[in-house]
Amino acid sequence: MANVYDVDASELVKMAAEKLKSKVKKPDYVNYVKSGAAKERVPEDPDFWYIRTASILRQVYVNGPVGVSRLRTRYGSRKDHVIHKHHHMPASGSIISDAFKELEGLDYVKKTGKGRVITPKGKSFLDKLSNEISGYKSQSAN
């Protein structure tokens, strides 16, 4: 019985993003905004919204309770400057908070006084995907 800690994070996020495509509604503005102040262009990946939402769900599972501010730091990046030092810039809070709203609508995440925490339904969703991934690996090894 595998869980989120036993499988590769990138595989889990990709698989969760595919499953969330049919469940989560993508906001219209996501195609036109940058993912943070340090970025120069909008994300090129058409599935950016679903991948970010799945990644946020995994972060809540692993690090919860977690809020928008901590995830802005987590998904932020370095701003390139020509003359002076590079500085860390936070990611877009609007994208993260809208992803939280969608995950709360699915009852995968709930809001508490200390931040968002994973619900049993969300934990079950990620654990089932982890079992599928570990099952694929054990079958391919034989």
Side-chain angles (χ1 to χ4, degrees):
M1 185 89 169
N3 62 16
V4 172
Y5 303 104
D6 300 332
V7 295
D8 185 38
S10 61
E11 287 183 42
L12 179 65
V13 168
K14 285 179 189 174
M15 187 176 269
E18 288 296 319
K19 300 276 186 183
L20 287 174
K21 273 188 185 181
S22 61
K23 299 177 180 182
V24 173
K25 183 182 175 235
K26 180 179 178 180
D28 296 331
Y29 72 86
V30 171
N31 296 327
Y32 308 107
V33 298
K34 302 185 303 180
S35 62
K39 302 298 181 181
E40 291 186 10
R41 295 186 211 106
V42 298
E44 293 179 1
D45 188 0
D47 293 337
F48 164 77
W49 171 256
Y50 306 108
I51 293 169
R52 178 61 58 97
T53 305
S55 177
I56 288 171
L57 182 61
R58 183 186 169 279
Q59 287 296 317
V60 172
Y61 185 107
V62 173
N63 299 322
V66 65
V68 174
S69 179
R70 190 185 299 175
L71 290 179
R72 286 186 73 191
T73 303
R74 164 71 178 83
Y75 291 111
S77 59
R78 292 177 69 167
K79 174 125 177 132
D80 291 331
H81 298 287
V82 178
I83 304 293
H84 55 280
K85 291 182 179 181
H86 306 290
H87 299 285
H88 184 271
M89 299 293 291
S92 170
S94 176
I95 291 174
I96 294 170
S97 62
D98 286 346
F100 272 144
K101 287 176 190 170
E102 290 292 325
L103 292 171
E104 286 171 2
L106 292 173
D107 196 34
Y108 287 167
V109 170
K110 71 178 179 181
K111 195 176 199 177
T112 64
K114 294 187 176 188
R116 273 29 179 243
V117 294
I118 193 118
T119 62
K121 186 175 179 182
K123 191 171 183 176
S124 172
F125 173 73
L126 288 178
D127 286 342
K128 284 178 185 176
L129 292 178
S130 300
N131 281 328
E132 285 183 32
I133 291 169
S134 66
Y136 291 143
K137 284 185 179 179
S138 65
Q139 289 175 358
S140 63
N142 292 332

